Amino acid sequence: MPAFFVHGVPDTHHLWDKLRSRLSRRDVLAPTLPGFSVPTPPGFQPTKEAYVDWLIDEIERAGEPVDLVGHDWGSLLVQRVVSLRPDLIRTWACGDGPIDREYVWHDLARQWQTAGVGEAIMAAMSGDALADGLVAGGVPAEDAPAVASRVDERMKACILGLYRSAVRVGEEWEDDVARVTRPALILWSRDDPYVAPRFAERLAARVRGELVLLDGCGHWWPLEHPAEAAAALERFWRAHP
């Protein structure tokens, strides 16, 4: 039963490198979302539904139920997949990405969701300016240049498409998530500037899951606190053999 890690925006599978190196298990898969420094399949449209379908296909190829983990947009995709295909999931863990009617998208997300404005914002997101913005948003300074270097025009277009498909994602997906019964770990940054921890508390209550809040941590816990996150995951997995 492999562990299956799903990154978010504007990351790639490299988001998980620090955390993976601290896990005792080696049966870990961490694919890169289509368009995020890799090509998109022919005809692929970067909507939330298309990414969910892609993720289901990737998990099916693993051949057995997985321990699913997601961060940021990966968190939203994980919640949706476990609500649609619980047969593919042994356990699931997610953080810093809410499916909640009460959540209001953060300022940058709303800019990306606005035609014209989003494109202008993306045009300015390059080079040192992008790296500096990532640091301001919580990416550790030593990681920001590498993260920024992987953001290309294809990724920018996919981010815009993804966010524009998700203006009302809480209304559309929350009820299905509330019916999930697979064992859940809600692993969240206490100081996330984009998603307050009350949304972690609401999600944990909704799915009757374990809640772990990482102190002194902004949005990117896989980069900021990989050892603590890895330890929390391994405790959770041991509790649900």
Side-chain angles (χ1 to χ4, degrees), residues 10 28 45 52 74 83 85 117 121 155 173 192 212:
V28 176
Q45 296 298 315
V52 166
S83 75
R85 292 294 306 275
V117 176
I121 294 291
M155 185 191 292
W173 288 359
D192 191 322
V212 173

Side-chain angles (χ1 to χ4, degrees), residues 15-27:
L15 172 77
W16 302 110
D17 290 350
K18 289 183 180 182
L19 193 155
R20 289 179 69 173
S21 71
R22 291 164 168 83
L23 293 174
S24 60
R25 68 191 295 177
R26 292 293 175 261
D27 59 337

Side-chain angles (χ1 to χ4, degrees), residues 133-161:
L134 289 169
V135 173
V139 174
E142 65 269 22
D143 298 305
V147 175
S149 72
R150 301 183 187 108
V151 178
D152 57 15
E153 295 307 310
R154 178 171 51 204
M155 185 191 292
K156 292 177 182 180
C158 287
I159 291 170
L160 293 180

Side-chain angles (χ1 to χ4, degrees), residues 225-238:
H225 288 318
E228 293 91 332
L233 286 166
E234 294 208 313
R235 285 195 303 270
F236 172 64
W237 292 329
R238 286 194 300 269

